[in-house]
Amino acid sequence: MSTTPSGAGDRLVQVGAIVFFVGALATLVTVAPLFLGTDPFPPVAYGVCMLMGVGFLIAGVGVVRSVWVNSPKRAANS
């Protein structure tokens, strides 16, 4: 159990990681029929794969927000 307080962007990083892994799982499921020789999924399934990039972007925003809030220059002005 951690006693350190949550950072400003921690929740965004967690949500981004979850969205990223959902997109990664969708990518694996979507690519599988290509290797198995079955019919490919409809184009909507490929759109779900884009969640991988969206999750990466959300997590990146969380990291930038944490760095922005915790920067020494901003802490000195407070």
Side-chain angles (χ1 to χ4, degrees):
M1 182 116 186
S2 176
T3 59
T4 58
S6 273
D10 287 352
R11 181 67 65 189
L12 284 172
V13 172
Q14 291 172 353
V15 169
I18 292 169
V19 172
F20 178 86
F21 285 119
V22 167
L25 180 65
T27 300
L28 290 175
V29 168
T30 304
V31 173
L34 300 175
F35 292 113
L36 299 174
T38 60
D39 292 332
F41 287 105
V44 174
Y46 293 98
V48 177
C49 296
M50 297 298 150
L51 287 177
M52 205 160 71
V54 172
F56 188 75
L57 182 66
I58 293 170
V61 168
V63 169
V64 169
R65 181 180 159 116
S66 291
V67 170
W68 179 263
V69 170
N70 296 325
S71 68
K73 193 174 190 179
R74 292 184 54 82
N77 292 335
S78 297

